[in-house]
Amino acid sequence: MPSNKSTAPLSVPRTIGRLALGAFLLTAGISHLTWARQEFLAQVPDWVPLDGDTVVIASGFVEVGLGGALIGLPGRRVAVGWLTAAFFVAIFPGNISQYVTHTDAFGLNDDRSRAIRLLFQPLLVLWALWATGAWRDRRR
């Protein structure tokens, strides 16, 4: 079970990675709530039993919270790293749905570009685990 409190210091590259991921998530979350709402709505699979706009708004708030926590709670970085990685896994079905249903959004207007995007989702999971030291410190 991962510890809630981080003990081992992070290297400068990991710290920069954590802060950059936090900024990325803050920006993405704010865009969910404002200028890119329709683009994100296109990624909500039809089989999700909730209103699509509700899903977009809720995921936007989660992203803002995770981004803020990555930046503002360095003492909780391991727990936040695991939560961020889990979030990236949880939203992956939306990316798969966008590919399977051939839905255009975010300039991904062909199957090739949508497929390439799918390859980047595991990198986001790895980024969250690496930048927070979550995988390294999982037993602490």
Side-chain angles (χ1 to χ4, degrees):
M1 181 74 155
S3 169
N4 237 3
K5 191 76 173 158
S6 305
T7 55
L10 288 183
S11 66
V12 171
R14 284 182 193 235
T15 299
I16 292 170
R18 178 178 53 81
L19 296 173
L21 183 58
F24 168 77
L25 282 168
L26 279 171
T27 302
I30 292 167
S31 73
H32 272 72
L33 304 172
T34 56
W35 70 86
R37 203 141 143 201
Q38 289 302 312
E39 298 287 330
F40 284 108
L41 188 56
Q43 293 182 289
V44 178
D46 291 336
W47 50 262
V48 172
L50 301 170
D51 173 66
D53 201 43
T54 301
V55 172
V56 171
I57 291 168
S59 61
F61 279 116
V62 170
E63 285 183 334
V64 168
L66 289 171
L70 284 165
I71 293 169
L73 299 174
R76 300 287 183 187
R77 63 179 164 71
V78 169
V80 174
W82 284 108
L83 288 171
T84 303
F87 175 76
F88 287 140
V89 170
I91 63 171
F92 193 50
N95 297 341
I96 293 170
S97 175
Q98 184 180 6
Y99 174 76
V100 170
T101 61
H102 313 286
T103 303
D104 296 344
F106 294 109
L108 304 174
N109 299 326
D110 59 54
D111 285 343
R112 181 173 182 253
S113 61
R114 288 186 283 267
I116 290 170
R117 180 175 187 220
L118 291 177
L119 300 174
F120 282 95
Q121 198 72 17
L123 295 178
L124 290 172
V125 172
L126 292 174
W127 184 5
L129 297 175
W130 171 80
T132 61
W135 185 259
R136 181 195 73 183
D137 294 347
R138 67 190 176 280
R139 301 214 193 285
R140 291 188 182 164

